Amino acid sequence: MCHGHTNIGLFMAVVKSGKETYTSRGNYICQSSETCNDTISSLQHINDFIETLNKF
């Protein structure tokens, strides 16, 4: 989300993508929220991430 260079983790979720099919979706998230917060220059990436989560 912050697009910085730091340790990250992959957040994965399996979502229903059809009548009987499922798809894995993933986003890389900073492991240290403090470090991430220090490098955020725009809230757009966070808003996009939340919007994506709300679709499911």
Side-chain angles (χ1 to χ4, degrees):
M1 288 185 233
C2 62
H3 290 269
H5 297 279
T6 184
N7 291 329
I8 57 171
L10 179 59
F11 174 81
M12 294 289 299
V14 178
V15 296
K16 193 168 187 175
S17 60
K19 192 172 187 178
E20 296 181 15
T21 58
Y22 293 85
T23 303
S24 294
R25 305 265 181 198
N27 282 292
Y28 290 100
I29 300 174
C30 296
Q31 290 179 351
S32 169
S33 59
E34 185 175 319
T35 301
C36 186
N37 289 342
D38 289 342
T39 59
I40 291 176
S41 59
S42 168
L43 295 178
Q44 188 59 48
H45 297 294
I46 294 171
N47 292 332
D48 291 344
F49 176 69
I50 292 170
E51 183 178 319
T52 299
L53 291 177
N54 286 331
K55 289 180 182 178
F56 305 106

